[in-house]
Amino acid sequence: MYQMTNKYMHFIANWKMFGGLNSLNSLNKVLKFFKTFKKNKFTKIVYCPPNTLIQAMSKKLANSQIKVGAQNCHAADNYGAFTGSVNSFMLKNVGAQYVIIGHSENREIGETDKIINLKIKSALKCGLKIIFCIGETLQERKKKITKKVLNKQISLGLSRIKDNKNVLIAYEPIWSIGTGMIPNPKELFEVINFIKKKNKNYKVIYGGSVSPKNINQLKLIDNIDGYLIGGASQDPNKFIDIIKKSYI
Ligand code: PEP
């Protein structure tokens, strides 16, 4: 359980609804750090800013190894009368290469497993890579039905999809998002193992309050393929610190 050498790790920055054009300046530090980072061959960084910044960020990162993603998309393949929405083709058109789908903050406002499945299919069709979020509530955890919940989210969300190259599963316990709480290492190791056993050859990352303070604990869980980082990713110093500390 406790060993990690030269393992390929993903660091997905989810800026949520934060940031204006001036926030792009914070990428300078990350770009500088990443150029000389010893493990950069084993590291994939993806920034997922609000849609308003995707194009400018893609231009800024064009000559780097750092990729850009969106935080959500509409399920339709074509243009349509969906006020306020943007589909995956439109996101790709302005530079996105990844998209987060199924985040609990969207599930909470009505996004169903069925819609998630349609979104993933549409995004894969246009060549985006998917960060597919799953996770249980605190109540479900207390009832000890975490595995059942995750199984259902995966089987419905990935229904008729077999693409372990382009879909990354992000295990994000809802009770740990933005709360500072993380699962205990043994529990987290077991859940990640469970997901991997049921879904062969999928990479599984962890998300929920990842920070420079707890990364030394998290990095010891060797079946995790990276992290989805919300709050801490908005601060380049914290984000860099997490990346640096993630390797043993
Ligand atoms: C997230 O938004 O996916 C997330 C994990 O947020 P935080 O790191 O702030 O808990």
Tab-separated table of all heavy atoms in Angstrom, residues 32-69:
chain	number	residue	atom	x	y	z
A	32	LYS	N	6.668	28.085	-14.767
A	32	LYS	CA	8.102	28.166	-14.438
A	32	LYS	C	8.520	26.931	-13.627
A	32	LYS	O	9.523	26.296	-13.920
A	32	LYS	CB	8.336	29.451	-13.630
A	32	LYS	CG	9.785	29.794	-13.495
A	32	LYS	CD	9.981	31.202	-12.967
A	32	LYS	CE	11.450	31.352	-12.591
A	32	LYS	NZ	11.616	32.127	-11.378
A	33	PHE	N	7.724	26.610	-12.648
A	33	PHE	CA	8.023	25.440	-11.806
A	33	PHE	C	8.067	24.164	-12.651
A	33	PHE	O	8.982	23.352	-12.547
A	33	PHE	CB	6.946	25.321	-10.715
A	33	PHE	CG	6.670	23.906	-10.287
A	33	PHE	CD1	7.575	23.219	-9.483
A	33	PHE	CD2	5.522	23.238	-10.712
A	33	PHE	CE1	7.336	21.896	-9.109
A	33	PHE	CE2	5.279	21.925	-10.344
A	33	PHE	CZ	6.185	21.248	-9.544
A	34	PHE	N	7.078	24.016	-13.531
A	34	PHE	CA	6.916	22.743	-14.234
A	34	PHE	C	8.043	22.474	-15.245
A	34	PHE	O	8.397	21.325	-15.499
A	34	PHE	CB	5.549	22.704	-14.922
A	34	PHE	CG	5.106	21.305	-15.244
A	34	PHE	CD1	5.116	20.307	-14.290
A	34	PHE	CD2	4.693	20.969	-16.533
A	34	PHE	CE1	4.720	19.005	-14.588
A	34	PHE	CE2	4.297	19.670	-16.839
A	34	PHE	CZ	4.314	18.684	-15.864
A	35	LYS	N	8.601	23.558	-15.796
A	35	LYS	CA	9.689	23.411	-16.772
A	35	LYS	C	10.855	22.620	-16.206
A	35	LYS	O	11.476	21.831	-16.892
A	35	LYS	CB	10.182	24.801	-17.186
A	35	LYS	CG	9.685	25.217	-18.539
A	35	LYS	CD	10.377	26.479	-18.998
A	35	LYS	CE	9.532	27.132	-20.071
A	35	LYS	NZ	9.810	28.533	-20.221
A	36	THR	N	11.160	22.862	-14.953
A	36	THR	CA	12.349	22.229	-14.376
A	36	THR	C	11.994	21.145	-13.357
A	36	THR	O	12.875	20.619	-12.693
A	36	THR	CB	13.235	23.288	-13.697
A	36	THR	OG1	12.423	23.956	-12.727
A	36	THR	CG2	13.785	24.280	-14.700
A	37	PHE	N	10.726	20.823	-13.241
A	37	PHE	CA	10.313	19.817	-12.252
A	37	PHE	C	10.819	18.437	-12.687
A	37	PHE	O	10.564	17.997	-13.819
A	37	PHE	CB	8.779	19.830	-12.151
A	37	PHE	CG	8.223	18.865	-11.148
A	37	PHE	CD1	8.748	18.770	-9.865
A	37	PHE	CD2	7.154	18.036	-11.480
A	37	PHE	CE1	8.224	17.880	-8.934
A	37	PHE	CE2	6.622	17.144	-10.564
A	37	PHE	CZ	7.167	17.068	-9.288
A	38	LYS	N	11.530	17.787	-11.781
A	38	LYS	CA	12.187	16.509	-12.119
A	38	LYS	C	11.209	15.430	-12.572
A	38	LYS	O	11.541	14.560	-13.365
A	38	LYS	CB	12.935	15.995	-10.889
A	38	LYS	CG	14.336	16.554	-10.762
A	38	LYS	CD	15.111	15.717	-9.749
A	38	LYS	CE	16.148	16.571	-9.057
A	38	LYS	NZ	16.115	16.519	-7.632
A	39	LYS	N	10.009	15.461	-12.039
A	39	LYS	CA	9.052	14.395	-12.356
A	39	LYS	C	8.077	14.792	-13.466
A	39	LYS	O	7.008	14.203	-13.591
A	39	LYS	CB	8.251	14.035	-11.092
A	39	LYS	CG	9.091	13.485	-9.961
A	39	LYS	CD	9.351	12.015	-10.174
A	39	LYS	CE	10.112	11.431	-9.007
A	39	LYS	NZ	10.453	10.029	-9.212
A	40	ASN	N	8.422	15.822	-14.227
A	40	ASN	CA	7.398	16.315	-15.167
A	40	ASN	C	6.984	15.286	-16.239
A	40	ASN	O	5.896	15.348	-16.772
A	40	ASN	CB	7.735	17.690	-15.763
A	40	ASN	CG	9.037	17.706	-16.505
A	40	ASN	OD1	9.598	16.662	-16.807
A	40	ASN	ND2	9.530	18.906	-16.783
A	41	LYS	N	7.843	14.314	-16.491
A	41	LYS	CA	7.469	13.271	-17.463
A	41	LYS	C	6.393	12.344	-16.906
A	41	LYS	O	5.745	11.606	-17.626
A	41	LYS	CB	8.685	12.431	-17.829
A	41	LYS	CG	9.622	13.124	-18.776
A	41	LYS	CD	10.603	12.122	-19.390
A	41	LYS	CE	11.631	12.821	-20.231
A	41	LYS	NZ	12.517	13.695	-19.437
A	42	PHE	N	6.246	12.359	-15.610
A	42	PHE	CA	5.282	11.474	-14.950
A	42	PHE	C	4.061	12.256	-14.452
A	42	PHE	O	3.300	11.756	-13.632
A	42	PHE	CB	5.943	10.759	-13.762
A	42	PHE	CG	7.147	9.975	-14.148
A	42	PHE	CD1	8.415	10.484	-13.947
A	42	PHE	CD2	7.002	8.725	-14.751
A	42	PHE	CE1	9.536	9.769	-14.327
A	42	PHE	CE2	8.121	8.007	-15.128
A	42	PHE	CZ	9.391	8.528	-14.920
A	43	THR	N	3.948	13.484	-14.922
A	43	THR	CA	2.932	14.383	-14.364
A	43	THR	C	2.040	14.983	-15.433
A	43	THR	O	2.532	15.536	-16.421
A	43	THR	CB	3.643	15.565	-13.631
A	43	THR	OG1	4.576	15.023	-12.712
A	43	THR	CG2	2.656	16.447	-12.911
A	44	LYS	N	0.735	14.865	-15.250
A	44	LYS	CA	-0.208	15.524	-16.167
A	44	LYS	C	-0.979	16.580	-15.384
A	44	LYS	O	-1.662	16.256	-14.411
A	44	LYS	CB	-1.161	14.479	-16.743
A	44	LYS	CG	-2.327	15.018	-17.515
A	44	LYS	CD	-1.965	15.558	-18.880
A	44	LYS	CE	-1.652	14.487	-19.886
A	44	LYS	NZ	-0.926	14.973	-21.063
A	45	ILE	N	-0.827	17.826	-15.807
A	45	ILE	CA	-1.573	18.908	-15.154
A	45	ILE	C	-2.681	19.376	-16.103
A	45	ILE	O	-2.436	19.605	-17.295
A	45	ILE	CB	-0.657	20.107	-14.821
A	45	ILE	CG1	0.462	19.679	-13.856
A	45	ILE	CG2	-1.472	21.255	-14.227
A	45	ILE	CD1	1.445	20.783	-13.516
A	46	VAL	N	-3.887	19.500	-15.577
A	46	VAL	CA	-5.005	20.021	-16.374
A	46	VAL	C	-5.703	21.113	-15.564
A	46	VAL	O	-6.110	20.876	-14.425
A	46	VAL	CB	-6.045	18.923	-16.705
A	46	VAL	CG1	-7.157	19.475	-17.592
A	46	VAL	CG2	-5.391	17.710	-17.376
A	47	TYR	N	-5.819	22.289	-16.149
A	47	TYR	CA	-6.552	23.383	-15.502
A	47	TYR	C	-7.970	23.450	-16.053
A	47	TYR	O	-8.158	23.513	-17.272
A	47	TYR	CB	-5.858	24.719	-15.778
A	47	TYR	CG	-4.880	25.107	-14.691
A	47	TYR	CD1	-3.540	24.764	-14.774
A	47	TYR	CD2	-5.320	25.800	-13.564
A	47	TYR	CE1	-2.650	25.105	-13.764
A	47	TYR	CE2	-4.433	26.145	-12.558
A	47	TYR	CZ	-3.110	25.795	-12.667
A	47	TYR	OH	-2.244	26.134	-11.664
A	48	CYS	N	-8.940	23.443	-15.167
A	48	CYS	CA	-10.336	23.592	-15.581
A	48	CYS	C	-10.889	24.903	-15.016
A	48	CYS	O	-11.415	24.954	-13.904
A	48	CYS	CB	-11.162	22.404	-15.084
A	48	CYS	SG	-10.566	20.821	-15.711
A	49	PRO	N	-10.756	25.978	-15.788
A	49	PRO	CA	-11.259	27.285	-15.338
A	49	PRO	C	-12.729	27.418	-15.727
A	49	PRO	O	-13.270	26.553	-16.413
A	49	PRO	CB	-10.393	28.252	-16.157
A	49	PRO	CG	-10.194	27.547	-17.467
A	49	PRO	CD	-10.147	26.068	-17.139
A	50	PRO	N	-13.380	28.511	-15.344
A	50	PRO	CA	-14.736	28.766	-15.865
A	50	PRO	C	-14.662	28.900	-17.388
A	50	PRO	O	-13.603	29.244	-17.930
A	50	PRO	CB	-15.112	30.113	-15.232
A	50	PRO	CG	-14.127	30.355	-14.146
A	50	PRO	CD	-12.909	29.561	-14.440
A	51	ASN	N	-15.775	28.656	-18.062
A	51	ASN	CA	-15.796	28.711	-19.537
A	51	ASN	C	-15.271	30.028	-20.097
A	51	ASN	O	-14.695	30.069	-21.178
A	51	ASN	CB	-17.227	28.506	-20.054
A	51	ASN	CG	-17.647	27.061	-19.916
A	51	ASN	OD1	-16.829	26.189	-19.620
A	51	ASN	ND2	-18.938	26.800	-20.119
A	52	THR	N	-15.492	31.119	-19.348
A	52	THR	CA	-15.093	32.449	-19.822
A	52	THR	C	-13.578	32.559	-20.012
A	52	THR	O	-13.102	33.470	-20.675
A	52	THR	CB	-15.530	33.513	-18.803
A	52	THR	OG1	-15.160	33.046	-17.489
A	52	THR	CG2	-17.020	33.761	-18.857
A	53	LEU	N	-12.813	31.644	-19.398
A	53	LEU	CA	-11.353	31.742	-19.470
A	53	LEU	C	-10.707	30.665	-20.332
A	53	LEU	O	-9.488	30.647	-20.488
A	53	LEU	CB	-10.761	31.666	-18.051
A	53	LEU	CG	-11.127	32.812	-17.111
A	53	LEU	CD1	-10.496	32.596	-15.741
A	53	LEU	CD2	-10.645	34.148	-17.680
A	54	ILE	N	-11.498	29.754	-20.867
A	54	ILE	CA	-10.902	28.613	-21.563
A	54	ILE	C	-10.038	29.047	-22.758
A	54	ILE	O	-8.911	28.602	-22.915
A	54	ILE	CB	-11.987	27.608	-22.013
A	54	ILE	CG1	-12.534	26.894	-20.767
A	54	ILE	CG2	-11.429	26.574	-22.998
A	54	ILE	CD1	-13.627	25.896	-21.037
A	55	GLN	N	-10.578	29.950	-23.555
A	55	GLN	CA	-9.834	30.334	-24.751
A	55	GLN	C	-8.525	31.051	-24.400
A	55	GLN	O	-7.457	30.708	-24.907
A	55	GLN	CB	-10.687	31.222	-25.651
A	55	GLN	CG	-9.970	31.551	-26.944
A	55	GLN	CD	-10.889	32.169	-27.974
A	55	GLN	OE1	-11.886	32.791	-27.647
A	55	GLN	NE2	-10.541	32.001	-29.234
A	56	ALA	N	-8.610	32.020	-23.505
A	56	ALA	CA	-7.403	32.773	-23.125
A	56	ALA	C	-6.391	31.864	-22.447
A	56	ALA	O	-5.189	31.955	-22.681
A	56	ALA	CB	-7.794	33.932	-22.204
A	57	MET	N	-6.875	30.954	-21.618
A	57	MET	CA	-5.955	30.055	-20.926
A	57	MET	C	-5.291	29.091	-21.913
A	57	MET	O	-4.099	28.813	-21.818
A	57	MET	CB	-6.694	29.287	-19.824
A	57	MET	CG	-5.748	28.559	-18.901
A	57	MET	SD	-6.594	27.600	-17.658
A	57	MET	CE	-6.728	28.734	-16.303
A	58	SER	N	-6.056	28.602	-22.871
A	58	SER	CA	-5.490	27.690	-23.875
A	58	SER	C	-4.384	28.377	-24.651
A	58	SER	O	-3.356	27.775	-24.956
A	58	SER	CB	-6.557	27.240	-24.869
A	58	SER	OG	-7.581	26.602	-24.194
A	59	LYS	N	-4.594	29.644	-24.977
A	59	LYS	CA	-3.560	30.391	-25.709
A	59	LYS	C	-2.319	30.529	-24.846
A	59	LYS	O	-1.208	30.333	-25.289
A	59	LYS	CB	-4.089	31.773	-26.100
A	59	LYS	CG	-4.969	31.703	-27.325
A	59	LYS	CD	-5.289	33.075	-27.872
A	59	LYS	CE	-6.216	32.933	-29.078
A	59	LYS	NZ	-7.049	34.122	-29.279
A	60	LYS	N	-2.532	30.846	-23.582
A	60	LYS	CA	-1.400	31.055	-22.681
A	60	LYS	C	-0.587	29.767	-22.481
A	60	LYS	O	0.627	29.803	-22.351
A	60	LYS	CB	-1.933	31.563	-21.333
A	60	LYS	CG	-0.832	31.985	-20.406
A	60	LYS	CD	-1.362	32.677	-19.171
A	60	LYS	CE	-0.212	32.978	-18.231
A	60	LYS	NZ	0.339	34.293	-18.385
A	61	LEU	N	-1.274	28.638	-22.481
A	61	LEU	CA	-0.597	27.366	-22.196
A	61	LEU	C	-0.212	26.593	-23.466
A	61	LEU	O	0.271	25.466	-23.376
A	61	LEU	CB	-1.497	26.494	-21.310
A	61	LEU	CG	-1.834	27.062	-19.931
A	61	LEU	CD1	-2.809	26.154	-19.201
A	61	LEU	CD2	-0.567	27.258	-19.101
A	62	ALA	N	-0.423	27.232	-24.618
A	62	ALA	CA	-0.255	26.524	-25.888
A	62	ALA	C	1.105	25.852	-26.047
A	62	ALA	O	1.201	24.767	-26.590
A	62	ALA	CB	-0.523	27.470	-27.048
A	63	ASN	N	2.159	26.492	-25.576
A	63	ASN	CA	3.495	25.899	-25.760
A	63	ASN	C	3.971	25.132	-24.543
A	63	ASN	O	5.167	24.954	-24.339
A	63	ASN	CB	4.510	26.994	-26.105
A	63	ASN	CG	4.146	27.644	-27.419
A	63	ASN	OD1	3.776	26.955	-28.372
A	63	ASN	ND2	4.197	28.967	-27.458
A	64	SER	N	3.052	24.699	-23.736
A	64	SER	CA	3.451	23.980	-22.514
A	64	SER	C	2.819	22.590	-22.505
A	64	SER	O	2.020	22.246	-23.374
A	64	SER	CB	2.990	24.758	-21.280
A	64	SER	OG	1.610	24.534	-21.071
A	65	GLN	N	3.170	21.815	-21.500
A	65	GLN	CA	2.593	20.475	-21.349
A	65	GLN	C	1.281	20.536	-20.557
A	65	GLN	O	0.630	19.517	-20.348
A	65	GLN	CB	3.564	19.570	-20.578
A	65	GLN	CG	4.857	19.279	-21.323
A	65	GLN	CD	4.595	18.620	-22.666
A	65	GLN	OE1	3.865	17.656	-22.751
A	65	GLN	NE2	5.163	19.193	-23.722
A	66	ILE	N	0.926	21.720	-20.091
A	66	ILE	CA	-0.269	21.845	-19.255
A	66	ILE	C	-1.515	21.969	-20.150
A	66	ILE	O	-1.531	22.735	-21.109
A	66	ILE	CB	-0.153	23.058	-18.298
A	66	ILE	CG1	1.121	22.897	-17.440
A	66	ILE	CG2	-1.402	23.199	-17.429
A	66	ILE	CD1	1.391	24.041	-16.494
A	67	LYS	N	-2.538	21.179	-19.826
A	67	LYS	CA	-3.745	21.149	-20.655
A	67	LYS	C	-4.878	21.943	-19.996
A	67	LYS	O	-4.834	22.250	-18.798
A	67	LYS	CB	-4.212	19.705	-20.848
A	67	LYS	CG	-3.145	18.781	-21.400
A	67	LYS	CD	-2.815	19.130	-22.825
A	67	LYS	CE	-1.768	18.191	-23.417
A	67	LYS	NZ	-1.031	18.794	-24.509
A	68	VAL	N	-5.905	22.195	-20.812
A	68	VAL	CA	-7.060	22.957	-20.315
A	68	VAL	C	-8.330	22.120	-20.456
A	68	VAL	O	-8.493	21.383	-21.434
A	68	VAL	CB	-7.211	24.284	-21.106
A	68	VAL	CG1	-8.416	25.081	-20.619
A	68	VAL	CG2	-5.950	25.120	-20.974
A	69	GLY	N	-9.189	22.226	-19.470
A	69	GLY	CA	-10.457	21.503	-19.520
A	69	GLY	C	-11.611	22.390	-19.079
A	69	GLY	O	-11.396	23.479	-18.528
